[in-house]
Amino acid sequence: MKQFPDPASTRQALPRELQELYKHPLPSSRGGPLFNAFSYPTKISPQAVALYIATHTRPGATVLDAFAGSGTTGLAAHLCDRPTRDMRQLAAVMGLNPVWGPRHAVLYELGVIGSFVAEVMCHPPDPHLFEQEAAALVRGGYAALGALLTVVDDRGCAGVLRHAIWSDVLRCPHCGHEYSFWDVAVARQPLRLRDANEHCGCPACETTMRLGAAVHATEEVFDELLGRSVERRKRVPVRIYGRTGTRKWQREVLPSDLELLRQVDSHPLPASTPVAPLKLGDLYRSGYHFGMTHLHHLYTRRNLISVATLLELVERREASVRDALRLLVLSYNQSHATLMTRVVIKSGQADFVLTGAQSGVLYVSSLPVEKNVIDGVARKVKALRDSFALVRDSRSTVTVRNRSSTALVEAEQSIDYVFTDPPFADFIPYAEINQVNDLWLGRRTDDADEAVVSGAQGKSLDDYENLMARVFSEMGRVLKDEAKATVVFHAAKASVWAALQRAYRRAGLEVAAASVLDKLQASFKQVVSTVSVKGDPLLLLTKDVACARQRHSGEALIVELLAQARASGDATEHAPSRLYSRYVNRCLGDGVAVELDAERFYAMVQAATQ
């Protein structure tokens, strides 16, 4: 593995093992059962975290995560006692000699669903019993709802719905004719979705208009959960995908499909169906969220019935696995059971590619997808079972605290190491996103202490900095004097980096080393952002580290970083996004301000290479 030089003088004071660890970008795979068991924004591979824990600490150490998310650091503690072959191989390649063995992890997570996932994943049930009970849950789901999922196949025989593509309905502002978004937006040979700036004609009067300016039709329906009429976007099914035995098929919508939907409309909603207002703030969009005021508005009626029914059936299963079965259903819920599920088009594909909700947003497309929830839950069983088996017999212990980390209950100097991945300021409003699962658990995350820059919550960057400073102060209080904290952070704005830097300095912490956590597959928000940063900068914080206070010249540092990239022999290091991570590493490692936003930095890199 190629080394990327780092001249920060403070690094020489670190033990050789830690110097080696922070020399290289650490690969963090976005795959495997532990990663895939539950989708959570900006999640890190537990295998990568385990390597950090086992290199920084000895068996028996207590590890803290102040922003635990879905419990990755707890799973990593378990893996320290049960390292995989890949973990051992990566350590060998990096020249590390981690000490494997049990640790104790303390996890703080403000979010309701995050702490629930962490609790279940870090205290797994018997994998075989879980698998048996999950199979019984799926059978019960089909016994209760199979009639709502039975469709006629393309040969006239009875089949099972796999998924249906729905479409917004558009209304011509000139003649009033209604037609589906599907009819005008989907182009064939090759398959593609027309751009919002392309013009299309009304099928009735042939008046042309820009697709993005089309008027979306609405309808008024009676909402039995609210006891009143509501207005919503009008949608119709446009394509049916199913299976008959092992044969998969697809076809256009038939009258029998519309009759089945009338049966679904008359099917009673389970008594446990939540009647819970949505708290839409920073992610609210007046267009596709039109009429969506409550949780059930994010679902087709059939999928709302399916999720509620499965969660009711969980109560009939073995008590020791009920939380794991709830997790099973919720692992499919937000990402695949709502109207946020969608189709995409990939080059060379003759048909749409099915995918889930976009991570980090609450986007509802004009072509939402209704999946078969029971089949989807059945497909998730293996990932959870395999995850439980990976950590079931670990001697490590994990304590999950569903509370703010601004006031830790641990005693002073009781923690041997911190690994944490704080919220990235205005990047993702976790409480707003996670409410889709929170509300099925019966309560909403209290966002008063959520570390976020949010117009909806009235929280500025100063508020974010102050809250982070409180957490860093608590981390410094509980850390032993010689202990260290690894912080993963991602930002493309110099102002956010400055706020982070001020926050940990106010707590008496300084950067002793810096590296990059190299996520091998970017999340949606990192892919589509106007400015993205490849790899998350990773900082090692310690108490009372004397850092140089020189000011960096942006142009001179870029020239130096480009020279180091060429010397490394690694093509990845030449990417402007990776260079920006290195720039942040250098500034924070030398104790100076991050003065360049990613966008300005990229422009300077381009100028320097011309």
Side-chain angles (χ1 to χ4, degrees), residues 142 145-151 159-161 260 302 306 372-374:
Y142 264 113
L145 304 176
L148 303 185
L149 296 164
T150 300
V151 291
V160 177
L161 178 72
L260 179 59
R302 179 161 43 196
S306 297
N372 180 326
V373 172
I374 302 175

Side-chain angles (χ1 to χ4, degrees), residues 235-251:
R235 297 182 177 92
V236 294
V238 292
R239 194 75 181 168
I240 304 297
Y241 293 74
R243 58 178 168 82
T244 304
T246 58
R247 185 178 68 88
K248 296 178 180 179
W249 48 265
Q250 59 172 290
R251 58 167 173 75

